[in-house]
Amino acid sequence: MNRRHLLAGAAALPLVAIRPSEGRAQSGISDGVVKIGVLDDMSGVFADQQGMGDVVSARLAIEDFGGRVNGMPIELVHGDLQNRADVGMGIARRWYDQEKVDAIFGLGNSAVALAVQNLAREKQKIDVVVAAGTTDLTGKDCSPFGVHWTYDNYALARGTVGAVMQGGGQRWYFITSDYAFGHSLEANAAAVVRQLGGQVMGSTRAPLGETDYSSHLVRAAGSGANVVGIAAAGTDLINIVKQMGEFGLNRRGIQPAALLCLLTNIKAIGLDTAQGMVFTEAYYWDQNEQTRAYGLRFQRAHGRPPTMFQASMWGAVTHYLKAVQAAGTDAAPAVMAKMRETPINDFMTTNGTIRADGRVIRDMYLMRAKKPADARGEWDLLEVAQTIPGNEAFRPLNEGGCPLVR
């Protein structure tokens, strides 16, 4: 059995060895255990920024909660969605139906996240999307049991496109991952470009996991664009930026606009190539005393500081467990009511809220990759260029088309 199949098998990670039956009725906890699943890309193009790092943060959150809620043990399982909706749905259905998982976190692929959110609505189970970006999660496909936790493509586009256009990037060409995430990110970014008076010169779509972007870059160079909007993530983003440098597009005055970029991506690209790139994030490990404390703790456990997905997993799991404790049950309607009414406060979020459409409102940050000479260490790669208040960062509630919004 290979590593991918092992990961897809969702090995259980019990934090308490015994699952007592006594007190179940009094506690309101079904099956005598609160069971959490982390379903992410564990072996593909996004594994570096999600993967086992998300599992590490979930485990740390459970440990910090004491391993029990309302007297009942908390159990953690994880699985590899393999960036395939059928695989992700198969694991989620088994978890909900057979393994009695109460809530699924992560869902770091937009196609999988949309499918699982629809399943969770049907099953009246909770899903908390940490790493997928499509705005449909809080639009036409919103759910009374779904939370879009960390970011979305609207927030990424508003922050990054505005900054690039202020710097003179008025003519855009998009290279887009050909699935729900990429389509959503391109659509959001192109809308902002046009709203701000810029031009969209064209676009191409590439399959997830593409390695040779030469044909896409030739078209971009010939389009008259001075910005390549990269509606891709993970290894795909890294390859596009590196190949832009190899093809000399930067020297011709064509700059990359990374619409979803994370700390590990900048590390892989290298500051020689990435310096000056701006992008939008929800967390940077060296931002302040609180973010540094968690970043260093996570690094001791995982070998490097967390990405915004990995860091925000801690807050997502903690907020859920607080809601279970306050509700006195793991029943989804009561837990969701507590999650919505309780402010979100942790090392990366101050007074965050969950809207009626499931969107978490939190401040976002425009980040800039440092010059190599300014980096003081291996992971000292970024600086905060601007804070974007949460009420400005995300799509207005009345514009998403969520059926739950009256």
Side-chain angles (χ1 to χ4, degrees):
M1 184 176 290
N2 63 29
R3 177 174 176 270
R4 172 168 290 197
H5 288 138
L6 283 171
L7 288 166
L13 301 174
L15 292 177
V16 176
I18 300 172
R19 291 163 50 173
S21 59
E22 58 270 19
R24 292 181 189 179
Q26 293 88 337
S27 73
I29 302 301
S30 60
D31 308 302
V33 63
V34 174
K35 198 166 186 179
I36 291 170
V38 173
L39 182 56
D40 268 324
D41 181 358
M42 300 289 179
S43 57
V45 296
F46 308 130
D48 192 50
Q49 59 202 42
Q50 307 168 20
M52 289 305 295
D54 277 0
V55 178
V56 168
S57 269
R59 185 184 294 119
L60 291 174
I62 294 169
E63 288 175 358
D64 289 346
F65 213 80
R68 304 176 79 85
V69 58
N70 294 345
M72 296 293 106
I74 306 163
E75 189 173 302
L76 177 66
V77 297
H78 66 82
D80 185 359
L81 51 76
Q82 299 180 29
N83 292 308
R84 289 174 49 186
D86 60 336
V87 172
M89 276 287 283
I91 295 171
R93 190 177 295 279
R94 185 178 77 246
W95 281 358
Y96 284 148
D97 290 348
Q98 300 174 26
E99 301 185 23
K100 308 303 180 185
V101 168
D102 296 296
I104 296 177
F105 293 76
L107 298 167
N109 174 291
S110 287
V112 177
L114 288 166
V116 172
Q117 180 150 293
N118 287 331
L119 176 67
R121 183 195 301 112
E122 172 193 328
K123 302 289 185 182
Q124 291 201 10
K125 296 281 191 174
I126 289 173
D127 70 284
V128 182
V129 177
V130 170
T134 177
T135 50
D136 285 347
L137 288 161
T138 54
K140 64 183 181 65
D141 291 305
C142 70
S143 165
F145 305 106
V147 180
H148 203 177
W149 186 264
T150 310
Y151 80 109
D152 64 25
N153 290 340
Y154 182 97
L156 298 185
R158 294 295 296 184
T160 304
V161 172
V164 171
M165 292 188 70
Q166 284 179 7
Q170 297 293 312
R171 302 183 307 279
W172 288 65
Y173 187 95
F174 291 95
I175 299 177
T176 301
S177 284
D178 194 11
Y179 76 109
F181 162 78
H183 302 168
S184 171
L185 189 51
E186 179 189 335
N188 278 277
V192 178
V193 169
R194 295 186 178 104
Q195 287 169 9
L196 297 179
Q199 295 176 272
V200 176
M201 313 302 290
S203 66
T204 58
R205 290 181 173 177
L208 188 67
E210 178 73 275
T211 56
D212 181 3
Y213 290 90
S214 56
S215 63
H216 305 280
L217 295 173
V218 167
R219 292 175 194 168
S223 70
N226 63 353
V227 180
V228 173
I230 305 171
T235 305
D236 293 346
L237 163 71
I238 294 164
N239 287 334
I240 293 169
V241 174
K242 284 184 173 181
Q243 290 174 35
M244 283 186 68
E246 293 166 2
F247 276 78
L249 269 64
N250 301 33
R251 294 192 298 274
R252 296 168 59 179
I254 304 173
Q255 63 175 309
L259 297 172
L260 173 57
C261 189
L262 295 109
L263 177 70
T264 51
N265 303 148
I266 296 297
K267 174 70 170 173
I269 294 167
L271 290 182
D272 285 335
T273 300
Q275 61 182 302
M277 275 178 52
V278 293
F279 52 94
T280 305
E281 285 239 45
Y283 166 89
Y284 177 51
W285 75 271
D286 200 21
Q287 190 172 344
N288 57 48
E289 184 177 342
Q290 286 184 300
T291 59
R292 271 192 297 278
Y294 187 77
L296 293 172
R297 179 187 180 200
F298 180 93
Q299 186 169 6
R300 288 192 294 272
H302 194 59
R304 61 190 176 205
T307 65
M308 72 169 172
F309 302 148
Q310 294 163 345
S312 67
M313 180 65 76
W314 187 96
V317 171
T318 299
H319 192 71
Y320 169 76
L321 292 174
K322 287 180 178 178
V324 172
Q325 185 175 60
T329 177
D330 57 5
V335 174
M336 279 301 305
K338 290 298 181 182
M339 290 179 73
R340 291 180 189 279
E341 72 183 39
T342 306
I344 302 166
N345 286 290
D346 55 43
F347 60 84
M348 64 175 283
T349 311
T350 302
N351 292 327
T353 58
I354 302 175
R355 290 193 317 201
D357 59 355
R359 173 70 261 159
V360 168
I361 303 301
R362 59 154 48 85
D363 291 348
M364 300 291 288
Y365 305 96
L366 187 70
M367 308 300 299
R368 182 186 296 114
K370 288 187 172 183
K371 297 177 181 178
D374 294 336
R376 298 165 297 172
E378 181 184 7
W379 292 99
D380 181 33
L381 304 175
L382 307 175
E383 58 188 358
V384 178
Q386 180 185 340
T387 299
I388 307 168
N391 61 353
E392 298 176 14
F394 293 96
R395 180 175 62 191
L397 182 63
N398 62 355
E399 293 182 9
C402 170
L404 302 174
V405 176
R406 295 179 176 86

